[in-house]
Amino acid sequence: MNPERNRLPLTSSLINAGFSILVKGRKGQLDIEKLKQAAIKKTGLQDFGDPYFEEGLERLITLGNADTNLNNIGKLLLKSSLEHNLSNRLLFCNELKKNDTPAETRQRSPIIVTGIPRSGTTFLHRLILQDEGNYGTPLWEMLRPINKEGKNDRRKLKARLEWSASNFIKGNINHIHYTSHREPEECIYLFGITFNALLYYIQFPLYPYIDWYLQADRNKKYREYADYLRILQSFHPGKRLVMKSPEHFGSVREIRKVLPNALILQIHRDPLTCFLSMNSMLYHIHKSASRYSDKKRLALTNMKLFEHELARNKAFRREAGPGVIDVFYEDLVADPFAVLKDVYAKAGLDFSEAFSEAVQNYAKANPKDKFGAHQYDAADFGLNENEIRDKLDPLSIGQDTFE
């Protein structure tokens, strides 16, 4: 299967052509010191904390400079993403120095939802957030968790404008993954400051980044994740944080180390369906940032990611035994009320009448394919279903695994 030239919508094509002037005006390639200086100028801060993050940042810079497939939009968005997350890192390190959250607040146990990509984590996450005692971080806050000290808080406005511009360039993919700057979003964005994050692969077709990501140490990035949650908890006292991301799926061991009291919910779905859906989603996201789409390479990279994370998760789950509550997608779709009631019973949480009613109302108001059906097929990516199942099925967890 040969790469195919991406045909951008007229508006995106005009934007891409216009961005060529800005790209030519950059005077050189991405440079770590220039990116750092831009973040320092933007925030007025200078302490980036533990320099471990530079390994991932340098990897992204190297790939971004070498990748001839990124179009002008992609090049500028990559530069903007790296600068943005360096700025967030400066704000994060500064907040850590002065955040004096009381111990009882620091120790509040969050709920963390995970599963392989496209397994239904968003539906489960938003159902749990119908409990008024829980807090789901909206996209605008995920993009900028900490406001610059002494500045008016315009994070919501910035996120709304950025998200509108992003949808204008990329086109509407609500039928694949509905997102709004006001809606609770997954915490994949919090890992941006570590530069050891799936976020960068999801945004850009930098396939070799996955090779580095899968072998990189995850301990320091999860220690910083735990610190981020402590900061967010201090901003929302009295609420229980509910976080979610497929990024956690292969890192349950690391979560347990830094958040031993966290309630982890793991959703399971047919890995073939998840894999094909992931291929389709990334194909649509990557198109706007690249000249060509290599569907076969995309699928093989996703296969590498799925195999590694499934194996990592299964190994830990067999070693650790109980401690994670398992949810099965088919059960959740068939009867969300019963599944949530069972989850709360196992977790020792109060399943109130108000929550019960809210769960049922949300499920009715948000049926599957509410924004349109998402179609995908193995043949679209040069694979067949049997070879996918041969690789992924043995690594997945079935309902009888822990019985």
Side-chain angles (χ1 to χ4, degrees):
M1 176 175 285
N2 296 321
E4 60 181 40
R5 187 172 184 83
N6 290 328
R7 297 183 182 277
L8 300 177
L10 178 60
T11 51
S12 298
S13 297
L14 292 174
I15 292 170
N16 185 60
F19 277 4
S20 65
I21 299 172
L22 296 176
V23 171
K24 289 177 182 177
R26 287 189 309 166
K27 296 182 180 179
Q29 297 182 306
L30 293 171
D31 177 84
I32 189 169
E33 291 306 319
K34 290 180 180 178
L35 291 169
K36 282 184 173 181
Q37 287 304 313
I40 289 170
K41 183 178 180 180
K42 183 177 180 180
T43 62
L45 303 169
Q46 297 190 40
D47 183 5
F48 289 96
D50 189 328
Y52 84 94
F53 73 93
E54 292 184 2
E55 182 182 351
L57 176 57
E58 288 175 348
R59 182 64 176 159
L60 287 163
I61 288 172
T62 298
L63 291 173
N65 286 335
D67 197 314
T68 58
N69 186 39
L70 288 178
N71 60 21
N72 297 322
I73 291 174
K75 290 174 183 176
L76 278 175
L77 288 180
L78 177 59
K79 179 176 182 287
S80 175
S81 179
L82 298 180
E83 284 184 1
H84 170 77
N85 283 301
L86 281 170
S87 297
N88 274 349
R89 182 168 187 85
L90 286 169
L91 293 168
F92 165 79
C93 291
N94 184 61
E95 186 68 24
L96 277 184
K97 295 176 186 176
K98 62 188 184 66
N99 192 289
D100 57 353
T101 310
E104 60 269 21
T105 304
R106 288 202 303 268
Q107 294 170 359
R108 191 170 179 84
S109 302
I111 297 174
I112 298 178
V113 176
T114 193
I116 55 176
R118 313 299 297 161
S119 59
T121 54
T122 297
F123 185 47
L124 178 58
H125 181 232
R126 291 180 181 172
L127 281 171
I128 294 171
L129 290 174
Q130 302 313 301
D131 184 340
E132 293 185 352
N134 294 334
Y135 181 78
T137 311
L139 177 61
W140 67 262
E141 191 175 13
M142 283 293 185
L143 291 173
R144 294 179 176 85
I146 302 166
N147 191 45
K148 184 178 177 182
E149 193 171 358
K151 293 290 184 180
N152 292 332
D153 193 345
R154 296 191 175 94
R155 291 178 293 167
K156 288 182 184 179
L157 175 61
K158 289 179 180 178
R160 180 169 65 83
L161 295 174
E162 289 167 352
W163 213 246
S164 296
S166 176
N167 290 335
F168 184 73
I169 293 172
K170 296 178 181 179
N172 189 333
I173 61 169
N174 282 341
H175 64 296
I176 301 176
H177 180 69
Y178 172 71
T179 306
S180 163
H181 73 284
R182 299 183 300 269
E183 292 285 339
E185 192 49 70
E186 63 184 58
C187 49
I188 189 172
Y189 295 97
L190 297 183
F191 291 114
I193 66 166
T194 73
F195 301 93
N196 178 0
L198 280 179
L199 174 68
Y200 297 105
Y201 170 59
I202 290 174
Q203 291 178 324
F204 308 101
L206 300 176
Y207 303 117
Y209 180 71
I210 289 299
D211 294 324
W212 175 85
Y213 173 84
L214 294 180
Q215 57 80 37
D217 182 79
R218 305 184 184 192
N219 288 295
K220 287 187 176 181
K221 96 176 205 178
Y222 269 95
R223 282 202 290 272
E224 291 191 337
Y225 175 75
D227 283 333
Y228 239 148
L229 263 56
R230 177 170 64 85
I231 291 170
L232 287 172
Q233 182 70 78
S234 73
F235 295 160
H236 306 284
K239 295 281 189 176
R240 182 188 297 275
L241 296 180
V242 183
M243 316 302 286
K244 82 99 176 173
S245 178
E247 181 136 3
H248 302 312
F249 182 75
S251 304
V252 180
R253 185 188 308 276
E254 285 77 10
I255 293 175
R256 274 282 174 251
K257 286 181 183 177
V258 298
L259 296 166
N261 297 317
L263 171 60
I264 301 175
L265 307 183
Q266 181 172 318
I267 189 167
H268 306 274
R269 190 181 186 185
D270 176 17
L272 171 65
T273 299
C274 297
F275 175 74
L276 297 179
S277 181
M278 177 73 161
N279 289 345
S280 175
M281 183 182 76
L282 292 193
Y283 166 71
H284 283 89
I285 293 174
H286 288 172
K287 275 199 307 183
S288 62
S290 55
R291 294 186 174 92
Y292 295 89
S293 290
D294 191 337
K295 290 184 175 180
K296 184 66 176 286
R297 189 177 186 188
L298 170 64
L300 292 177
T301 304
N302 284 342
M303 178 65 74
K304 188 183 301 182
L305 173 65
F306 270 56
E307 284 187 284
H308 187 274
E309 299 301 276
L310 280 164
R312 219 173 186 271
N313 178 273
K314 194 166 188 176
F316 174 75
R317 295 297 306 277
R318 288 195 179 280
E319 292 171 15
V324 176
I325 296 177
D326 294 293
V327 173
F328 293 89
Y329 178 79
E330 291 77 9
D331 296 340
L332 183 66
V333 172
D335 193 343
F337 171 80
V339 169
L340 265 293
K341 188 174 183 180
D342 180 61
V343 165
Y344 265 51
K346 290 177 178 176
L349 300 175
D350 178 37
F351 192 77
S352 67
E353 288 187 17
F355 181 34
S356 169
E357 183 177 350
V359 165
Q360 295 181 77
N361 289 339
Y362 182 85
K364 289 178 183 177
N366 294 274
K368 190 176 183 297
D369 300 332
K370 177 180 179 179
F371 296 99
H374 180 199
Q375 305 292 334
Y376 39 80
D377 188 270
D380 293 340
F381 296 87
L383 301 175
N384 66 68
E385 293 190 4
N386 289 334
E387 64 181 309
I388 298 170
R389 287 204 177 281
D390 286 345
K391 291 186 175 184
L392 300 184
D393 280 359
L395 297 170
S396 64
I397 294 176
Q399 287 181 300
D400 60 343
T401 301
F402 302 111
E403 293 179 356

